[in-house]
Amino acid sequence: MSTFSLAISKQAVAEMPAVVFDAPIMVVDTPELLDKALADLGKHTLVGFDTETKPSFKKGCLNKVALMQLSTDTHNYLIRLNKLGIPAPLREFLENPGITKIGLSVRDDFNVMRRTEPVEPKGFVELQSYVKRFHISDSSLQKIYAIVFGQRISKKQRLTNWEASSLTPQQQTYAALDSWACLHVYKHLESGRFDAAESPFRVVPELETNHDEK
């Protein structure tokens, strides 16, 4: 029986139209705004998740997670951990198994956070593992999104300063889009509307060479 996987090249991604993202974004940098964000997030059963860390260009120098992004269908919250830390209400949300949080490389995110905060995440779906059910072999969010939706997520802001006194509009859009994309990839695949067998990104392995051939 033949098998296949779905994969896409960087060049193919680059040629795709960019995602147009204009959903509401709230920068959460005070306890009052955090309470407001969590009140809304607590009403949802599915939430997109991501984090950003200020890049370090010195060997052995590791920065703390600076930003946590949480997205619903209608709102995107950028929680500035470099200003708020992880207070008890946020930790309770992350440890709530009743709310499904969808993210990419979740274990890595929490390994960094645990250096300073005792967080035990519950209710998380690792998107890299989940998409394998649909024959998707690529592991980056940009490539996964491109395979599923045929659009390109820009990564230009990835190595910017996430600990800056204020985040630029470009940083805000980039950060919110990543968590929003995790949520929407998951929902689309769960809906059953994605047909891997009909995808233009199918990669069929070459047939094994006949053993009699030299």
Side-chain angles (χ1 to χ4, degrees):
M1 184 175 69
S2 63
T3 60
F4 68 93
S5 61
L6 303 182
I8 190 171
S9 67
K10 289 183 178 180
Q11 181 178 349
V13 174
E15 293 171 353
M16 288 180 170
V19 178
V20 177
F21 183 77
D22 57 3
I25 297 172
M26 176 190 285
V27 177
V28 178
D29 55 7
T30 68
E32 294 75 20
L33 287 175
L34 180 60
D35 288 343
K36 183 177 180 180
L38 292 174
D40 178 50
L41 290 163
K43 300 174 184 176
H44 297 266
T45 56
L46 291 175
V47 173
F49 168 89
D50 195 33
T51 68
E52 302 296 341
T53 301
K54 178 183 177 180
S56 173
F57 301 103
K58 293 182 180 179
K59 187 176 181 180
C61 180
L62 300 174
N63 292 316
K64 298 178 182 179
V65 176
L67 188 72
M68 180 182 296
Q69 305 98 275
L70 297 169
S71 293
T72 69
D73 281 324
T74 57
H75 290 81
N76 302 275
Y77 299 100
L78 308 184
I79 303 173
R80 305 211 66 189
L81 301 186
N82 60 311
K83 295 187 177 184
L84 295 172
I86 303 181
L90 179 56
R91 185 165 60 250
E92 290 170 7
F93 174 84
L94 298 171
E95 295 179 347
N96 182 353
I99 299 177
T100 301
K101 283 82 68 174
I102 301 95
L104 194 93
S105 300
V106 173
R107 179 179 294 181
D108 294 340
D109 290 334
F110 281 96
N111 282 342
V112 176
M113 278 188 269
R114 284 198 196 97
R115 296 183 195 134
T116 55
E117 303 285 351
V119 182
E120 295 303 324
K122 295 182 179 68
F124 278 81
V125 172
E126 173 52 65
L127 199 60
Q128 287 179 335
S129 300
Y130 176 78
V131 299
K132 291 179 181 178
R133 304 181 194 177
F134 302 87
H135 300 272
I136 298 174
S137 60
D138 283 316
S139 58
S140 76
L141 180 58
Q142 187 185 49
K143 288 189 172 184
I144 292 170
Y145 195 91
I147 289 170
V148 174
F149 293 112
Q151 294 181 309
R152 170 176 51 84
I153 295 175
S154 172
K155 307 304 286 185
K156 291 181 180 179
Q157 299 296 314
R158 185 171 66 90
L159 297 178
T160 56
N161 181 10
W162 297 103
E163 295 181 10
S165 57
S166 60
L167 300 177
T168 66
Q170 292 80 9
Q171 283 181 304
Q172 293 180 35
T173 298
Y174 168 87
L177 177 54
D178 272 4
S179 54
W180 179 90
C182 286
L183 173 63
H184 283 268
V185 166
Y186 177 81
K187 289 186 66 176
H188 188 73
L189 295 179
E190 280 285 286
S191 73
R193 289 176 287 166
F194 180 77
D195 188 349
E198 296 298 321
S199 172
F201 306 110
R202 288 183 58 180
V203 178
V204 180
E206 295 182 6
L207 295 176
E208 292 185 7
T209 304
N210 190 303
H211 291 299
D212 292 332
E213 296 179 358
K214 298 295 183 183

